[in-house]
Amino acid sequence: MQDTCFISLRISSFDTLKMLSGVRLCVRSLYKGLPVRGMSLSPRQINRWPSNESSEPPTNSPRVLITGGLGQLGVGLAEMLRKQYGKENVILSDIRRPPAEVYNMGPFVYADVLDYKNLRELVVNNRITWLVHYSALLSAIGEANVALARTINITGLHNVLDLALENCLRLFVPSTIGAFGPSSPRDPAPDLCIQRPRTIYGVSKVHAELMGEYLHHKYGLDFRCLRYPGVVSAHTKPGGGTTDYAVQIFHDALSTGHHECYLRSNTRLPMMHISDCHRATIEFMQAPESQLSLRTYNIAAMSFTPEEVAEEIRKHLPHLRVTYNPDTIRQTIADSWPVRFDDSNARQDWGWKPAYGLSELVTDMLASIREKRTNAGLPVS
């Protein structure tokens, strides 16, 4: 279906056809110049391009746009993709001003996922072929502001789904452990099972999974989705997720030597080192469609409890003290999630295999955070 694109035709000249307004039709690429939701050629976004950008990218390189790029995952994924495809072919975007080091790494643009017109300009003007949609409010923050989470996580999703259809993009939307609920199998949770999440974050992710699969089967959208476990990274601050204690505990261990955990000590959840998360995403995006039996896959690496990760840290920092003060909202969320993922389909279909276990994760996190604190002139406990 490479010669096919998707457009939205609004038929308004005949009263008898008004009911068809907004129907999405699949047409041959010779019609791709027709207007969709109106057209503007104004390049409103602020582009930052390397001065040595070539006029044409290599024919085998995708042109990638990452939304929500200043969150936990975007910068690292962009860095890995730029090493493979060239920095001019990977565009990071967000609604916040990037730090100087991120701005200088490669192309960065302003992009609000609720502004469809601006997004379309970015896709068309920059010849995007892959779209990675990271914009979302996470679980705990989403419960504190359901209306905003619904707007960003669902309305923003529909904007990128429409853009992917209209421009024949390969679209990646991450899902999450939060897409499961208390009625889901917990140990392990398979790819296909009852989900029924009880957070707006989880509901929005199930909605994304189902919409993407529907549009794939009905219109041929190249939709791809991975259910991420808790992601542990030294490079970004915790962002309001239920699994964020597994990042904060390393910062606390090296700064004060004391961590107060908002989950019970025996709360087991699936976790993954961020480099494994990025590598899984890239390998999945690169996999030929013929290898994919699903459009949404679980990926797994390890599962641990707060006490287990604390014990592993104590092998390096024996003085670490952890106290437990469970937060009702986050503990309830965690208790509804799986304790392990079954990722056998990802391993079989496209060769997924993690590189980090718990000991490797702890060693890397402590070394990375110690280096960051030392470089910043901060004390290390």
Side-chain angles (χ1 to χ4, degrees):
M1 299 187 66
Q2 292 181 350
D3 63 341
T4 305
C5 69
F6 299 83
I7 65 170
S8 208
L9 296 177
R10 294 198 178 276
I11 305 171
S12 58
S13 56
F14 299 97
D15 290 340
T16 57
L17 294 180
K18 283 184 179 179
M19 68 182 69
L20 298 179
S21 177
V23 171
R24 189 168 304 286
L25 300 175
C26 173
V27 296
R28 293 295 173 186
S29 58
L30 61 92
Y31 293 107
K32 65 184 177 183
L34 289 177
V36 184
R37 292 199 194 179
M39 177 61 75
S40 170
L41 299 179
S42 171
R44 295 186 296 111
Q45 64 276 12
I46 300 173
N47 256 312
R48 187 269 177 201
W49 292 102
S51 59
N52 61 346
E53 182 196 12
S54 60
S55 59
E56 289 295 331
T59 57
N60 62 342
S61 293
R63 297 275 293 176
V64 186
L65 175 65
I66 302 173
T67 68
L70 297 183
Q72 183 185 24
L73 301 175
V75 174
L77 183 71
E79 186 176 9
M80 291 180 69
L81 285 168
R82 284 165 177 164
K83 288 179 180 177
Q84 291 195 36
Y85 298 121
K87 64 181 181 180
E88 71 278 8
N89 288 322
V90 181
I91 303 172
L92 205 61
S93 73
D94 210 301
I95 59 172
R96 294 180 289 141
R97 190 175 78 171
E101 61 271 20
V102 174
Y103 183 80
N104 291 325
M105 285 170 58
F108 183 92
V109 296
Y110 170 89
D112 181 351
V113 296
L114 301 180
D115 186 343
Y116 180 87
K117 180 180 174 182
N118 175 223
L119 283 178
R120 191 208 299 132
E121 289 176 350
L122 287 172
V123 168
V124 173
N125 293 348
N126 298 305
R127 300 166 295 151
I128 299 302
T129 57
W130 289 8
L131 200 161
V132 176
H133 180 55
Y134 277 153
S135 294
L137 256 62
L138 301 182
S139 55
I141 291 179
E143 290 307 287
N145 197 332
V146 172
L148 181 61
R150 185 178 64 234
T151 299
I152 293 175
N153 294 8
I154 295 179
T155 303
L157 167 76
H158 280 263
N159 281 341
V160 300
L161 286 170
D162 285 351
L163 280 169
L165 280 170
E166 292 158 1
N167 294 278
C168 305
L169 307 181
R170 179 169 295 183
L171 174 63
F172 178 81
V173 179
S175 189
T176 170
I177 182 177
F180 295 99
S183 57
S184 305
R186 299 191 70 211
D187 192 11
D191 287 311
L192 302 175
C193 65
I194 294 172
Q195 292 180 258
R196 295 293 189 273
R198 292 185 178 177
T199 66
I200 186 61
Y201 178 60
V203 168
S204 69
K205 289 303 184 180
V206 174
H207 179 78
E209 294 176 14
L210 295 178
M211 281 301 302
E213 184 172 337
Y214 167 75
L215 294 173
H216 167 72
H217 290 298
K218 190 170 182 68
Y219 298 114
L221 173 65
D222 189 355
F223 172 84
R224 304 183 183 212
C225 179
L226 294 177
R227 292 195 190 107
Y228 291 156
V231 178
V232 183
S233 169
H235 303 296
T236 53
K237 295 180 180 179
T242 300
T243 60
D244 279 351
Y245 85 87
V247 176
Q248 189 62 50
I249 192 171
F250 292 98
H251 290 275
D252 293 344
L254 287 166
S255 59
T256 65
H258 171 244
H259 173 69
E260 181 174 283
C261 186
Y262 52 74
L263 298 180
R264 293 191 305 268
S265 63
N266 63 347
T267 305
R268 184 176 300 280
L269 292 169
M271 299 286 184
M272 176 175 286
H273 190 281
I274 193 167
S275 65
D276 273 344
C277 179
H278 291 327
R279 183 170 54 82
T281 302
I282 293 172
E283 290 176 0
F284 183 45
M285 287 293 280
Q286 293 170 336
E289 281 203 89
S290 59
Q291 292 181 206
L292 306 182
S293 63
L294 301 168
R295 307 314 296 187
T296 298
Y297 289 87
N298 293 338
I299 52 170
M302 68 195 85
S303 289
F304 56 73
T305 67
E307 186 55 34
E308 287 172 349
V309 70
E311 282 300 316
E312 191 66 33
I313 294 172
R314 289 189 187 106
K315 294 178 182 179
H316 304 262
L317 301 172
H319 65 277
L320 173 64
R321 183 171 64 93
V322 179
T323 55
Y324 296 93
N325 183 21
D327 172 77
T328 301
I329 293 176
R330 293 194 189 195
Q331 187 65 59
T332 301
I333 292 171
D335 288 343
S336 72
W337 288 353
V339 300
R340 288 183 179 86
F341 274 170
D342 176 1
D343 64 350
S344 54
N345 286 317
R347 292 174 185 252
Q348 177 178 318
D349 288 0
W350 46 277
W352 162 242
K353 185 178 180 180
Y356 285 79
L358 178 56
S359 61
E360 293 86 0
L361 179 145
V362 168
T363 299
D364 181 80
M365 286 289 291
L366 290 174
S368 298
I369 295 174
R370 180 180 284 110
E371 180 182 10
K372 288 171 68 72
R373 291 185 62 85
T374 300
N375 291 342
L378 298 173
V380 175
S381 174

